[in-house]
Amino acid sequence: MDIIGFLKSQFICHLLICYIFIVSGLIINFIQLFTLILWPINKQLFRRINCGLAYCISSQMVMLLEWWSGTDCTLYTDPESYHKYGKESAIVILNHNFEIDFLCGWNFCERFGVLGSSKVLAKKELSYMPIIGWMWYFLEIVFCKRKWEEDRKTVMQKLLNLRDYPENFWFLIHCEGTRFTEQKHQISMQVAEAKGLPKLKYHLLPRTKGFAVTVQCLRNVVSAVYDSTLNFRNNENPTLLGVLNGKKYHADLYFLLFTIGRRIPLEEVPEDEQECSNWLHKLYQEKDAFQEEYYQTGTYPEVPIVPPRRPWTLLNWLFWALLLLYPLFKLLINMINSGSSLTLASFAFVIVMASVGVRWMIGVTEINKGSTYGNNDNKQKQK
């Protein structure tokens, strides 16, 4: 192992990275709190400022993938449509198979300049999570309890609030509702059989109600639906811990303006909820076919393009590192010079708690500790 690779695998480096992320994130959350005074005065200014502040947080995660681990990301798409990415608002349908698929989604948002304004449909519990959850609150992220009878009104109102958003944004949505596991897939296909729907080999049955409402509320706001399917070469199983250790992955993303041989503007997506549901089910059948082709050939049918990395994620991280590491090292030197056993014991306690916190944050992304949503029989009713 080379010296750089060795250093990347050391826990002390991970601790410093997490220290920068946590402290800078809490500082930014605190600044975001004060931006609330702008909402009644100038809502659009509030939104633009929070897009920039959110970028300062999320870009640190993207920096780990792009610059720390050096993961390669290849986009397979129609070259004629490539120039539209980042220049229009869009709904992006993502598959949900890997521990870092959210991070890869952010990576492509960053490469097309919409990371700060990107939106998601997220579970309500995440809104209470410091740093990212709080950041999302100020970004007007749509949170749901995964109980559609309770969610419908809230989700619709949140989506309608985005109709006058001042920045281009990508609304990232996992229509499967939860990350793919064999157990969830088996239950999902039982539901497909009961409903007379074609079975899927590589995806869960999409939950169509949230997608239909998203299309309905964002009509005339977003220009298109992008269908994307993420895979990693050589049967790699990427993890956030692997990224933190500096492991390099090779991500392939099949990324099309939603199409059946052509670009379909959002206004051509069916408005009727049942027709929209049928449309989405057909899309997932096509996604399954593309996935089968990828496993057989190791490639996608479109032209491979590598979107250029932008320097801003690295520069943002270096700014926060220079700002926060100096006072940390100064404090550490003063504590060592003091020679106080109580001071050193307190510092050791903080290190232990920090390591536990780091492991907890990584654990949130792990598949075997993921959501049980979709596992229970009483949650099999999908529309």
Side-chain angles (χ1 to χ4, degrees):
M1 180 184 293
D2 61 78
I3 185 64
I4 295 179
F6 175 77
L7 290 174
K8 287 181 178 180
S9 67
Q10 299 307 297
F11 179 73
I12 187 63
C13 291
H14 304 167
L15 203 59
L16 290 175
I17 289 172
C18 291
Y19 160 76
I20 295 168
F21 178 75
I22 291 171
V23 176
S24 65
L26 292 175
I27 291 172
I28 292 167
N29 285 160
F30 187 70
I31 296 172
Q32 287 181 304
L33 183 63
F34 282 94
T35 65
L36 286 173
I37 62 175
L38 292 173
W39 182 266
I41 302 171
N42 191 329
K43 182 171 67 173
Q44 304 298 44
L45 178 60
F46 166 89
R47 286 168 157 172
R48 288 191 171 95
I49 290 175
N50 275 284
C51 283
L53 292 173
Y55 182 85
C56 291
I57 295 177
S58 53
S59 68
Q60 293 187 51
M61 299 287 290
V62 175
M63 185 281 299
L64 286 178
L65 188 71
E66 288 190 327
W67 298 93
W68 183 258
S69 79
T71 292
D72 292 327
C73 296
T74 302
L75 182 67
Y76 290 79
T77 189
D78 172 14
E80 294 183 3
S81 300
Y82 180 79
H83 72 277
K84 295 184 176 70
Y85 301 144
K87 297 180 174 61
E88 62 182 5
S89 294
I91 298 170
V92 183
I93 298 176
L94 299 157
N95 61 329
H96 205 5
N97 291 53
F98 304 100
E99 291 182 8
I100 64 166
D101 49 16
F102 78 97
L103 191 52
C104 291
W106 277 4
N107 179 34
F108 281 96
C109 286
E110 156 59 21
R111 297 201 181 194
F112 292 104
V114 293
L115 176 60
S117 59
S118 63
K119 313 294 179 190
V120 295
L121 182 63
K123 57 186 178 182
K124 180 68 175 179
E125 293 83 353
L126 291 176
S127 66
Y128 307 114
M129 188 176 182
I131 305 176
I132 291 179
W134 296 349
M135 170 193 80
W136 278 349
Y137 172 82
F138 290 97
L139 273 183
E140 302 169 73
I141 292 301
V142 182
F143 293 106
C144 61
K145 299 177 181 178
R146 291 175 164 176
K147 297 179 181 178
W148 189 244
E149 295 76 15
E150 300 178 24
D151 285 332
R152 186 180 184 94
K153 184 177 180 181
T154 302
V155 169
M156 287 187 69
Q157 185 57 54
K158 291 288 187 180
L159 288 167
L160 289 172
N161 287 343
L162 298 177
R163 292 180 66 86
D164 63 342
Y165 209 76
E167 303 284 342
N168 288 330
F169 64 88
W170 286 3
F171 192 93
L172 311 178
I173 183 170
H174 297 284
C175 293
E176 295 161 277
T178 186
R179 188 179 284 126
F180 183 99
T181 66
E182 289 300 328
Q183 181 183 3
K184 293 175 182 177
H185 180 253
Q186 183 179 4
I187 294 172
S188 183
M189 293 307 98
Q190 291 172 0
V191 176
E193 185 175 2
K195 292 180 177 291
L197 294 168
K199 291 186 178 181
L200 304 173
K201 189 174 180 180
Y202 303 106
H203 298 84
L204 305 180
L205 199 66
R207 298 173 183 262
T208 61
K209 288 182 177 179
F211 175 75
V213 167
T214 301
V215 170
Q216 177 186 351
C217 293
L218 296 183
R219 195 170 293 277
N220 301 322
V221 178
V222 303
S223 301
V225 175
Y226 300 169
D227 173 40
S228 63
T229 301
L230 176 68
N231 278 296
F232 288 85
R233 297 178 196 171
N234 306 318
N235 295 317
E236 291 174 319
N237 185 24
T239 64
L240 185 57
L241 184 59
V243 171
L244 201 56
N245 280 322
K247 184 175 180 180
K248 184 175 182 177
Y249 298 107
H250 300 82
D252 287 334
L253 187 70
Y254 183 56
F255 202 61
L256 282 178
L257 298 176
F258 181 69
T259 174
I260 306 175
R262 60 191 175 91
R263 180 180 186 273
I264 300 180
L266 191 68
E267 57 266 22
E268 294 184 25
V269 177
E271 292 192 41
D272 178 77
E273 184 171 319
Q274 185 57 51
E275 290 181 7
C276 189
S277 174
N278 296 337
W279 186 86
L280 187 62
H281 281 299
K282 185 176 182 180
L283 167 64
Y284 268 77
Q285 294 163 33
E286 294 172 350
K287 287 171 73 70
D288 232 43
F290 284 132
Q291 191 76 312
E292 180 73 29
E293 181 176 349
Y294 183 85
Y295 283 139
Q296 291 179 356
T297 66
T299 187
Y300 289 118
E302 297 294 334
V303 177
I305 301 173
V306 179
R309 283 190 302 185
R310 307 194 313 162
W312 311 118
T313 57
L314 181 61
L315 293 175
N316 173 71
W317 186 84
L318 289 174
F319 166 79
W320 287 107
L322 292 172
L323 183 67
L324 298 176
L325 287 179
Y326 172 74
L328 174 67
F329 289 142
K330 186 175 181 180
L331 175 63
L332 178 59
I333 291 172
N334 290 338
M335 291 175 67
I336 293 174
N337 290 337
S338 71
S340 169
S341 299
L342 178 61
T343 300
L344 295 176
S346 299
F347 179 75
F349 175 76
V350 170
I351 292 295
V352 171
M353 293 305 296
S355 64
V356 171
V358 170
R359 191 65 190 86
W360 174 79
M361 291 179 67
I362 293 173
V364 171
T365 70
E366 292 178 347
I367 290 176
N368 62 353
K369 296 182 181 179
S371 168
T372 59
Y373 184 64
N375 280 342
N376 302 323
D377 290 340
N378 63 353
K379 293 181 180 179
Q380 291 183 14
K381 293 183 180 179
Q382 305 178 45
K383 298 289 185 180

